Amino acid sequence: MPPIPRDTPGDSVAFATAREAWAACAPLLAGVARVRIGVRSRGVLEYRTRDERPLTSVLPAAPAAVRIYGPDGCCAALCLDLDIGRGGPDAVAADATRLTGWLRERGARVVTDRSPTGGIHVYVPLEQRMPYELTREVVEALAASYPTLDAGPHRSLRTGCIRPPGATHKRGGHQELTMPLAAAYDALRRPNSPEILEEIRTHLRDEIAAWRTTRDAPQDPAHAPGPPPLGAPRALSTRLQAIAASGDYDRGRYGSPSEARQGVIAGAVAAGWALADVAVRLADGRWPGLAAMYARYSLAQRAVSLSEDWRRAHHFIVIDRQKKSSTSPDSHVLKSHTSPPLTHGGDPAAREAIPEHDHIRTWRTLLRAVELHRFPGRRGHLTRFVLRALGEAAHKSDSRHVAFGVRSIAVATGADYSTVAAVLRRLAAQPDGWVDLVEPARGEHADLYELTIPADLVDIASDLRWDRGKAQALRPAFRELGHVAAFVFEALENNTATTITTLVPTTGLSRSAVAAAVDTLASYGLVDRSPTGLVARPDRLRAVAELVGALDAVTMQLRRYAYERQIWRSYLARHEPDCSRELEDLIEDYWWPPEEDAATWSLAGLVAA
């Protein structure tokens, strides 16, 4: 057994037992050495991405759950959650007795624990890590026979988690083993062979077939998502990204996981990616779904198989393009929503942009200098990011007059457009504030705002040195990691603070909040601890954004807003035909996120190498 952390004076026997159970079981049950700390939000306990930490043998004081799947898309154990919400404690106890008996009849070794409320977890440790596709089928099939079994933890590669033995429960107490710790540890150290799992699958073949039939049923068109987002250069489609991240695919389009896998690879080739771009996502956990499709190969064979898939896809795409170019020599290039508006280009001097540039830089610097005091507390966080988004929009248009729609600002801040609209109305209503509403929206033309310097700050404006660097709204990774982490990262990135002690006055946040944010950033590799202090790693932002699913959130938000804009254009075409524009002109309203930095792609190549 691993060494057990020593008890401190005053520890109860129950707590000491829980610590031993955690240290012995949690590392062996987890699909990856990561744990999510439960945090209460609006009265509900949540296991959020931002509260994920490296897993250690030390029992967290708060409720905690380990991740079931690893970055390879595989798990180390079947984690079967019998929930009292599905029938009560008596039904859970009856199902647990039947389930454990059935598993043992198949030759399986199991570990069981019970929560203080009566829920029971049944763990089936696996000798070989098993891919998502196989284990989910087993759990879904078992759920059809055991009404209290919740298959939810095994349904998501990214968020699936479970409280292991010893974990603190949200209502007090701990997950308590229903068997001696030595017996549980022995079962985990001598897990079940692949033959036993195959025996289980054989006895569940009818249930698995029934679940596959339900899963493969055609989607109801009434519940289909809206039209896809407007295209972005070097970006995979939403469908292919979902396959790579979740492992789920349309069985009507792809006949097997191998075909779905090849579809993702072909899409990456067609998008102009390099093999290293895919390889690094398989290695760092951003694409666990695709990684699970290579799980049947050994580690050495996976790289060879990926290279062979890439070679075949590249050959197919090149030949296909040559055929198309020979029959259709004309080139048609789609305009991207990440491209800046045509009216924003050109020589700045020719458009007398220097005075505007000076005003915008001064406005940004003043905002940064006083925002902490003008917009204090959590209520001011979103306001600060909305103003930063306006500053970023002003830089892109080279004008203090900003006419980008609230949906564009919403995407840049990770908020809903209605919330952004309320913030803008509140800001515009303030006399001598930061923005003035120059012209209200009409038709497809958004509200026109002017960036203004508050009257009481005009005298000090000329004495401030401009901020360096680009204007930044809320970068995608911090949609999941939170505003506090964004402010802490920003201070470290700008070298205005290098320790927790100096971060507290710089950010205006409490020491506990800063310390928690640093832990979060460090756990995702966004902050390094060095002898000279904390060092920000902005080169990791894109990888983390993909890892936590933030880029998916951006895509879905753009998807929904593009659909809503099409509906609005249709309405205008019927009722106000003079106000309509061509769709190509409408695209310019979506100026965020910015075009991808080539350095991001070269970095992926370096990491893969």
Side-chain angles (χ1 to χ4, degrees):
M1 244 183 242
I4 306 300
R6 295 183 60 186
D7 295 339
T8 58
D11 279 344
S12 66
V13 174
F15 186 61
T17 301
R19 297 181 70 176
E20 293 177 355
W22 174 277
C25 301
L28 297 177
L29 289 171
V32 62
R34 306 283 291 178
V35 60
R36 291 191 173 183
I37 309 300
V39 174
R40 290 196 176 276
S41 177
R42 299 172 184 174
V44 178
L45 187 73
E46 298 179 348
Y47 295 100
R48 304 176 301 187
T49 302
R50 71 181 67 174
D51 302 310
E52 190 172 292
R53 302 287 186 272
L55 174 62
T56 69
S57 60
V58 178
L59 172 63
V66 297
R67 291 263 301 277
I68 292 178
Y69 292 101
D72 58 352
C74 300
C75 64
L78 298 180
C79 299
L80 309 176
D81 180 13
L82 304 179
D83 191 348
I84 62 170
R86 294 171 173 263
D90 293 339
V92 165
D95 277 357
T97 301
R98 288 197 302 122
L99 177 58
T100 55
W102 186 88
L103 289 170
R104 288 181 175 125
E105 288 175 4
R106 314 278 91 74
R109 296 161 60 84
V110 300
V111 175
T112 56
D113 68 12
R114 178 185 288 107
S115 73
T117 57
I120 294 177
H121 294 164
V122 179
Y123 308 96
V124 184
L126 304 171
E127 183 179 285
Q128 293 183 6
R129 295 175 63 83
M130 300 304 294
Y132 166 79
E133 181 89 6
L134 298 181
T135 54
R136 183 181 174 186
E137 286 183 346
V138 171
V139 176
E140 295 282 3
L142 288 172
S145 301
Y146 299 92
T148 63
L149 175 56
D150 179 10
H154 271 276
R155 285 175 177 162
S156 174
L157 280 161
R158 279 181 171 166
T159 62
C161 55
I162 196 164
R163 291 189 313 275
T168 302
H169 194 271
K170 63 182 178 181
R171 296 186 182 178
H174 301 270
Q175 293 292 132
E176 182 180 352
L177 285 168
T178 58
M179 56 198 303
L181 176 58
Y185 187 70
D186 180 65
L188 294 173
R189 294 297 296 175
R190 296 191 297 122
N192 298 284
S193 66
E195 290 75 20
I196 291 179
L197 182 62
E198 188 58 35
E199 177 74 8
I200 293 173
R201 288 177 55 83
T202 299
H203 283 80
L204 292 173
R205 57 181 177 272
D206 293 339
E207 291 84 353
I208 290 176
W211 178 75
R212 286 176 177 173
T213 301
T214 303
R215 177 197 61 185
D216 299 340
Q219 184 180 19
D220 183 359
H223 295 87
L230 302 175
R234 303 178 67 88
L236 292 187
S237 68
T238 305
R239 174 177 56 81
L240 294 179
Q241 289 187 50
I243 294 173
S246 70
D248 285 334
Y249 58 90
D250 182 358
R251 269 69 185 180
R253 179 186 292 265
Y254 303 109
S256 68
S258 297
E259 293 182 20
R261 182 183 76 198
Q262 192 65 36
V264 175
I265 300 300
V269 172
W273 288 28
L275 176 58
D277 299 327
V278 175
V280 73
R281 284 163 173 76
L282 293 179
D284 66 12
R286 281 179 274 175
W287 282 2
L290 188 63
M293 296 175 183
Y294 285 100
R296 65 188 181 95
Y297 301 105
S298 67
L299 290 177
Q301 291 174 329
R302 290 177 196 179
V304 175
S305 180
L306 174 61
S307 298
E308 182 62 21
D309 287 347
W310 188 268
R311 184 192 64 76
R312 286 197 297 265
H314 189 271
H315 177 75
F316 174 80
I317 296 296
V318 169
I319 296 300
D320 185 60
R321 286 181 174 175
Q322 287 175 350
K323 290 180 179 178
K324 289 182 178 179
S325 62
S326 63
T327 57
S328 179
D330 295 334
S331 174
H332 301 278
V333 181
L334 296 178
K335 186 177 177 183
S336 165
H337 74 272
T338 59
S339 302
L342 297 177
T343 55
H344 299 171
D347 181 8
R351 292 179 287 108
E352 298 182 354
I354 294 179
E356 292 295 282
H357 175 80
D358 291 354
H359 179 87
I360 297 167
R361 293 295 293 271
T362 300
W363 183 89
R364 276 184 52 208
T365 303
L366 281 171
L367 175 64
R368 184 67 59 85
V370 304
E371 64 178 354
L372 188 59
H373 305 288
R374 295 288 173 99
F375 309 105
R378 288 186 175 274
R379 292 178 61 86
H381 290 180
L382 180 58
T383 301
R384 292 163 67 179
F385 280 112
V386 168
L387 287 170
R388 292 182 188 192
L390 290 173
E392 186 177 353
H395 271 296
K396 291 181 181 294
S397 61
D398 291 330
S399 171
R400 73 186 73 183
H401 295 93
V402 179
F404 294 103
V406 292
R407 285 173 172 79
S408 238
I409 304 298
V411 175
T413 57
D416 187 76
Y417 76 91
S418 60
T419 305
V420 170
V423 171
L424 287 172
R425 286 195 299 269
R426 186 169 64 251
L427 288 169
Q430 298 174 358
D432 294 325
W434 294 94
V435 296
D436 279 343
L437 178 60
V438 177
E439 183 178 336
R442 182 181 65 85
E444 291 191 41
H445 297 279
D447 289 329
L448 178 64
Y449 290 96
E450 179 184 1
L451 306 188
T452 57
I453 296 176
D456 59 331
L457 299 178
V458 172
D459 293 339
I460 66 172
S462 59
D463 298 330
L464 292 177
R465 177 176 296 183
W466 287 344
D467 282 347
R468 293 175 297 174
K470 298 179 180 179
Q472 297 280 6
L474 186 71
R475 287 173 282 191
F478 298 109
R479 284 173 168 243
E480 289 294 330
L481 302 186
H483 291 168
V484 173
F487 290 129
V488 170
F489 183 85
E490 182 182 81
L492 295 173
E493 186 180 22
N494 294 332
N495 294 317
T496 56
T498 57
T499 66
I500 291 179
T501 300
T502 54
L503 279 168
V504 172
T506 301
T507 60
L509 301 166
S510 67
R511 187 179 184 86
S512 61
V514 169
V518 169
D519 286 344
T520 297
L521 294 169
S523 71
Y524 284 99
L526 290 172
V527 165
D528 288 339
R529 290 182 167 95
S530 70
T532 58
L534 302 171
V535 180
R537 289 285 306 279
D539 56 290
R540 285 275 301 157
L541 282 171
R542 179 183 174 85
V544 172
E546 288 191 60
L547 186 65
V548 300
L551 294 188
D552 294 340
V554 172
T555 300
M556 294 307 297
Q557 193 172 15
L558 285 171
R559 183 189 189 102
R560 178 162 63 92
Y561 289 166
Y563 183 49
E564 291 172 356
R565 293 300 297 270
Q566 289 178 4
I567 294 176
W568 177 238
R569 288 189 74 252
S570 299
Y571 173 85
L572 291 177
R574 294 193 306 270
H575 297 86
E576 299 181 48
D578 294 338
C579 293
S580 63
R581 292 182 291 167
E582 294 296 328
L583 179 60
E584 287 75 13
D585 296 329
L586 178 63
I587 294 175
E588 70 183 36
D589 287 339
Y590 291 106
W591 54 266
W592 195 95
E595 294 185 18
E596 303 207 34
D597 188 350
T600 301
W601 298 92
S602 61
L603 173 70
L606 290 174
V607 174

